[in-house]
Amino acid sequence: MNNKLKGLLAVILLSFLGWYFLLKQSDYTITFKVNAATGTISQGIVEWSATQSKKQNETYSILEKRNFDFIKQQMKKGNEELEYTWDMKSINDSMTKVTIGIKDLNHSFYNRLTAPFISTKFRTEQIEKIKSFKLGLEDHIGDFKIRIDGEGSSKEMYVAYISLKSVLQEKAQTMLEYDPKIIGYLDKNKIKIIGYRPYLEITGWDEDKEIVNFNYCFPIPKDTKYIPDSNVKFKIIPALKGIQATYFGNYRTSDRAWFTLLDYAKKNDIKIENKPLEHFLANPFNGGSELEWETKIIIPFAKK
């Protein structure tokens, strides 16, 4: 082997070692695939972190978040400090690849020397931890079904509505809290509800803070005379064209269909306005299997 080749190999080796020990973001990486949208997984990470905080006394803080496909968080427990970098990449309409980079801020050099090559305490604990997350996520996914219907449209409707605001995870609970107000108003004023199948109209969605502004709506006859009220208003929801899905499951997690449509739009280069319209076709107070509760969801095309 001549000196030039030896020198080149030395440079390559030193460059690799420099990258591996100084620049590489993680000590150990775990990858898996799951039948869920990137947003569903992102929500799962947030909820899992909250559970870990309660059950394992682990404190999680988000260092960086990008849309619904990237989360970097720090975990602290006693003297232990770890960073988890979650990267979600949609493979197709239903499958997502999840890559988790894990870094021990106090023992990074040792873990890089050992964890990728031999079974260490750090490696075993992290594999079990991520495996537990994946099993919990798969259990959650089993609680609902989503069917992408492709392009669709909604009908124009005249509605009575209340404007509300909540974090994304509590939209259904917020609707239930205000249900007596709007139903009480309609009953008191003898206003007919057409079909008793309400709509939820998203008017604003802060994806970073996961806060939604929305109207909780009930269809009523167009000739209904408005009786002034501090909460309830009347309006026309125009007909919409967009991409549509059918969701079967508890209304609390109907946003899982939103995430599925977002991934579908991104993959198919469809420009949409992130303001879903949900039409609930079942009454949860009637009981029955949640997998039979049907919701039609449409996200409108972006305005040209």
Side-chain angles (χ1 to χ4, degrees), residues 141-167:
I141 294 168
D143 292 335
F144 58 84
K145 294 186 295 184
I146 299 168
R147 184 185 71 226
I148 295 178
D149 301 322
E151 294 188 11
S153 60
S154 66
K155 296 180 180 179
E156 179 183 285
M157 69 206 79
Y158 192 60
V159 299
Y161 70 98
I162 293 182
S163 294
L164 302 171
K165 179 179 181 179
S166 76
V167 295

Side-chain angles (χ1 to χ4, degrees), residues 2 49 57 61 69 76 80 95-96 99 119 135 137 162 168 196 198-199 207 226-227 232 239 258 260 285 287 291 295:
N2 60 43
S49 301
N57 294 319
S61 57
D69 54 19
K76 293 184 179 180
E80 189 178 17
M95 189 68 66
T96 298
T99 302
S119 181
L135 289 173
L137 180 63
I162 293 182
L168 187 59
Y196 280 89
Y199 286 81
E207 296 178 13
Y226 177 65
I227 300 171
V232 182
W258 306 3
T260 299
F285 295 109
L291 284 173
T295 305

Side-chain angles (χ1 to χ4, degrees), residues 200-225:
L200 184 147
E201 179 193 28
I202 299 297
T203 57
W205 182 4
D206 188 324
E207 296 178 13
D208 290 331
K209 296 181 180 179
E210 298 188 357
I211 293 175
V212 288
N213 296 82
F214 59 95
N215 295 326
Y216 181 35
C217 315
F218 283 86
I220 59 175
K222 287 186 177 181
D223 59 356
T224 302
K225 181 180 178 182

Side-chain angles (χ1 to χ4, degrees), residues 259-275:
F259 301 137
T260 299
L261 287 173
L262 290 182
D263 282 357
Y264 176 83
K266 184 177 181 180
K267 196 162 190 65
N268 291 279
D269 195 27
I270 300 172
K271 305 301 181 185
I272 56 175
E273 190 174 3
N274 289 2
K275 294 183 177 181

Side-chain angles (χ1 to χ4, degrees), residues 34-53:
V34 65
N35 188 23
T38 55
T40 298
I41 300 166
S42 178
Q43 287 290 303
I45 294 167
V46 173
E47 293 172 10
W48 172 79
S49 301
T51 300
Q52 289 291 112
S53 297

